[in-house]
Amino acid sequence: GIQVEQSPPDLILQEGANSTLRCNFSDSVNNLQWFHQNPWGQLINLFYIPSGTKQNGRLSATTVATERYSLLYISSSQTTDSGVYFCAVEEIGGATNKLIFGTGTLLAVQP
Amino acid sequence: DTEVTQTPKHLVMGMTNKKSLKCEQHMGHRAMYWYKQKAKKPPELMFVYSYEKLSINESVPSRFSPECPNSSLLNLHLHALQPEDSALYLCASSQVGRGSGNTIYFGEGSWLTVV
């Protein structure tokens, strides 16, 4: 099956810093989503982005499907950005609605 | 606020107990999911229902039994669990099919401890 690797696995930032999180996937996808999991376990959908670039406030994401990676940018980070960031993909040719999660990036933003 | 509601939020059960986790959504979605998440790991897909029929079972042990009574409800029946089944169980929903707009929404999860 498809492999989804994220980097870095852990990241510590000072408040106000910028960061880039990466998601690499081993096969072609037709669905890619970014999520933020808060310390209480809630998974919040940030972006649906199988290709192209999107922005939402301080967050933006870019997926280069032909090169099998996606990037999540966080600018002017805040302590509330802390948590785990996951990308999740649906493989072209795989089962419909089979969304597979990446390994995650644990982000800690310090005041 | 999440539009996918899971109950209970916390559950402690013995290995001989029978319990159920419940999930409800009113977004008109026809795909519903159960994921299992262990500490410091990504969510792992367990089951997917499409149009109230089981479409994906990721080789989950039979002590986990899903049920989709209607398009808004999803249950996970638990019986004879093991301590290693302790985890966060996440329910989710989305539109059925591939491609555009198929955003998936998660509930807040049910924290399960098996003693």
Side-chain angles (χ1 to χ4, degrees):
Chain A
I2 192 169
Q3 303 299 310
V4 187
E5 298 288 332
Q6 292 183 239
S7 60
D10 302 280
L11 184 60
I12 300 174
L13 298 176
Q14 290 300 121
E15 205 166 21
N18 302 328
S19 62
T20 301
L21 282 55
R22 187 176 179 104
C23 170
N24 290 331
F25 39 96
S26 61
D27 220 332
S28 299
V29 302
N30 58 12
N31 184 345
L32 188 146
Q33 301 182 36
W34 281 98
F35 296 87
H36 174 221
Q37 188 168 39
N38 66 25
W40 298 271
Q42 173 77 57
L43 273 165
I44 303 296
N45 192 294
L46 300 175
F47 294 103
Y48 171 87
I49 187 164
S51 63
T53 297
K54 290 186 178 180
Q55 180 157 6
N56 184 1
R58 296 181 296 103
L59 303 181
S60 64
T62 295
T63 298
V64 184
T66 53
E67 297 187 22
R68 300 182 184 170
Y69 73 89
S70 183
L71 302 174
L72 178 69
Y73 305 96
I74 304 174
S75 64
S76 304
S77 58
Q78 301 175 357
T79 56
T80 51
D81 295 331
S82 297
V84 184
Y85 289 81
F86 290 105
C87 64
V89 304
E90 184 177 329
E91 183 179 7
I92 288 178
T96 301
N97 288 110
K98 183 174 178 176
L99 200 65
I100 302 301
F101 278 74
T103 50
T105 292
L106 175 59
L107 174 65
V109 181
Q110 298 178 338
Chain B
D1 287 343
T2 179
E3 296 184 71
V4 179
T5 303
Q6 290 187 240
T7 56
K9 287 189 166 41
H10 298 273
L11 177 63
V12 179
M13 61 184 290
M15 289 188 284
T16 59
N17 291 159
K18 287 185 180 180
K19 297 285 185 185
S20 297
L21 305 180
K22 298 185 183 299
C23 176
E24 187 170 6
Q25 59 89 13
H26 294 288
M27 293 180 281
H29 291 162
R30 301 303 295 276
M32 295 188 76
Y33 309 73
W34 283 113
Y35 281 84
K36 173 183 177 178
Q37 187 177 22
K38 301 282 280 184
K40 301 187 185 302
K41 296 290 187 183
E44 294 179 3
L45 183 63
M46 300 174 73
F47 303 105
V48 180
Y49 274 82
S50 298
Y51 299 110
E52 297 87 68
K53 294 192 188 308
L54 185 64
S55 58
I56 296 175
N57 177 343
E58 291 288 278
S59 302
V60 178
S62 60
R63 57 186 184 269
F64 296 91
S65 175
E67 177 196 21
C68 191
N70 60 52
S71 60
S72 300
L73 295 175
L74 184 67
N75 299 320
L76 186 62
H77 302 298
L78 314 171
H79 175 53
L81 294 193
Q82 303 298 310
E84 58 265 30
D85 296 321
S86 299
L88 176 65
Y89 288 84
L90 294 159
C91 175
S93 70
S94 75
Q95 300 293 349
V96 173
R98 301 182 183 279
S100 98
N102 195 9
T103 300
I104 187 169
Y105 296 87
F106 281 85
E108 294 183 343
S110 293
W111 294 90
L112 173 67
T113 302
V114 182
V115 297

